Amino acid sequence: ARLLGSRRRLTVVTNDLRIAAEMERGTDANIVVIGGHIRRGFHCTVGVSGKHMLEGMSVDKAFMGANGFSLAKGATTPDLHHAETKRLMVAIALKVILLADNSKIERNSFAQFASPEQVDILITDRLDPEYRTSVEDLEIDVVIAQE
């Protein structure tokens, strides 16, 4: 969110309260916060209210964090309600960009929110070259983030 400060004519749709606050402080972006109830300890909203807000929307890019990403299960999270909110975002996005550090690669969490085929780009900090080839074989672009 901090890196988006210089972007103009940007609309951000988020269920993350910290991202919304950062965007309010650091940008002139139009900010839409998805409704729902607070997932305690995670500073985000989940639930049916968010579903109703997202229906009918379309977003260019969805940046999605994950607790796990594997070739078998795709992107996963430990919370069913959070998975549902993320599934809805994936469904309305033209491009899905998954953010997962190397500790989350080839790990599965409880609930899937995106199959590997739904992920367009994987951004991570480190990836085994052989595994990277397997990911790219699924037509997922891989970006290794620099510190």
Side-chain angles (χ1 to χ4, degrees):
R2 286 183 211 105
L3 299 176
L4 296 175
S6 62
R7 302 291 302 252
R8 297 289 175 238
R9 298 184 339 192
L10 187 66
T11 298
V12 174
V13 180
T14 186
N15 69 325
D16 190 298
L17 302 175
R18 288 182 176 166
I19 289 174
E22 181 66 36
M23 296 303 295
E24 180 187 28
R25 272 191 307 276
T27 73
D28 65 353
N30 179 31
I31 306 161
V32 178
V33 179
I34 301 168
H37 66 272
I38 300 291
R39 184 174 174 213
R40 292 195 180 272
F42 292 90
H43 310 287
C44 65
T45 61
V46 295
V48 71
S49 299
K51 177 179 181 178
H52 296 304
M53 285 186 73
L54 291 172
E55 289 174 345
M57 280 189 191
S58 178
V59 298
D60 294 328
K61 297 174 185 152
F63 290 87
M64 311 294 296
N67 293 77
F69 175 77
S70 71
L71 298 175
K73 295 289 184 179
T76 56
T77 185
D79 184 85
L80 284 173
H81 298 293
H82 208 173
E84 178 62 20
T85 300
K86 287 176 175 266
R87 263 195 295 288
L88 293 166
M89 283 299 296
V90 167
I92 67 168
L94 296 176
K95 185 170 283 200
V96 175
I97 302 163
L98 188 68
L99 311 165
D101 67 59
N102 70 79
S103 71
K104 296 172 177 138
I105 301 300
E106 245 346 80
R107 297 189 186 265
N108 294 312
S109 195
F110 181 63
Q112 180 192 58
F113 65 87
S115 68
E117 296 77 22
Q118 291 176 297
V119 176
D120 297 294
I121 300 172
L122 171 64
I123 299 176
T124 189
D125 57 340
R126 187 174 62 233
L127 203 58
D128 175 75
E130 187 176 309
Y131 189 80
R132 179 179 183 155
T133 300
S134 297
V135 171
E136 291 174 335
D137 285 346
L138 293 174
E139 298 184 10
I140 299 172
D141 293 328
V142 174
V143 175
I144 305 298
Q146 303 299 314
E147 291 185 29

